[in-house]
Amino acid sequence: MSLVLGSSVVFLMPRVYYSDPESTVGWKGRWHFSVLAPAMTMTALTLLVDLPIKGAIESPRPGCSLDETNTALAGSNCESFGGPSTHAFASWGATGAGTGIFLVDTFRYSSGRFNAGGFIGNVAFPLTASVVTSIARGVAPGNAEAHENAGQIAIGGVTGFLSGLAIGTAYAMFQRPNCGYGNALFCW
């Protein structure tokens, strides 16, 4: 649940920027449909990690052997490999994307002016959700084994954050936060 919440907030968050003094002074927020580009890119990268990369690395889940995972017995909790953690990759990727968007919007389009709403929606909330997701994947419920070990979570989280940061920064650099012509609330 924390993975879904953290990822969706970043891609549903409006782009917040301080308007040019030549037009109207003050903070503006615009929803961009173009945010689907980094969202789909992160989804494609997450599927790439989950399907071919995870199978190529063959890092079994805690308490599972390589043979048990390759056999994939139903109900054994060893049906898939554990690392790199797809959940950590996706959640930390959203945090990275939100951080990139927030930094570009703050320093390039808002002349360094800090906006608390943009920070909470793009950085603080996804960061909190990423930490909760990582902890939940590494904690063993009851007598069962954890879903992934710390190394699998760390590798997924670091690569996800760096990928998301690159994608979010590139998106924000190429897509201005305003709507161009007009004063629409939704931008294409």
Side-chain angles (χ1 to χ4, degrees), residues 3-165:
L3 166 64
V4 172
L5 288 173
S7 299
S8 61
V9 165
V10 169
F11 298 114
L12 294 175
M13 179 72 190
R15 299 277 304 277
V16 179
Y17 67 101
Y18 194 82
S19 186
D20 295 328
E22 296 169 358
S23 56
T24 304
V25 176
W27 291 100
K28 303 287 181 194
R30 300 291 182 258
W31 280 274
H32 285 261
F33 291 106
S34 61
V35 79
L36 290 174
M40 290 187 302
T41 304
M42 281 306 300
T43 301
L45 287 177
T46 302
L47 290 172
L48 185 69
V49 167
D50 192 47
L51 301 173
I53 292 175
K54 199 180 265 195
I57 294 175
E58 293 186 341
S59 177
R61 295 186 183 279
C64 299
S65 68
L66 193 57
D67 291 333
E68 288 175 316
T69 305
N70 285 330
T71 307
L73 296 173
S76 67
N77 292 330
C78 297
E79 293 93 357
S80 64
F81 291 106
S85 173
T86 307
H87 289 76
F89 182 88
S91 65
W92 286 99
T95 301
T99 301
I101 292 169
F102 173 76
L103 291 174
V104 171
D105 285 353
T106 298
F107 293 108
R108 183 171 183 190
Y109 299 117
S110 299
S111 302
R113 291 179 178 90
F114 178 81
N115 183 277
F119 178 78
I120 291 168
N122 281 316
V123 181
F125 188 84
L127 176 64
T128 303
S130 295
V131 169
V132 170
T133 300
S134 296
I135 291 170
R137 297 302 290 178
V139 172
N143 295 336
E145 292 284 338
H147 293 288
E148 290 125 1
N149 64 37
Q152 294 167 336
I153 294 168
I155 290 170
V158 168
T159 57
F161 182 81
L162 294 175
S163 299
L165 184 64

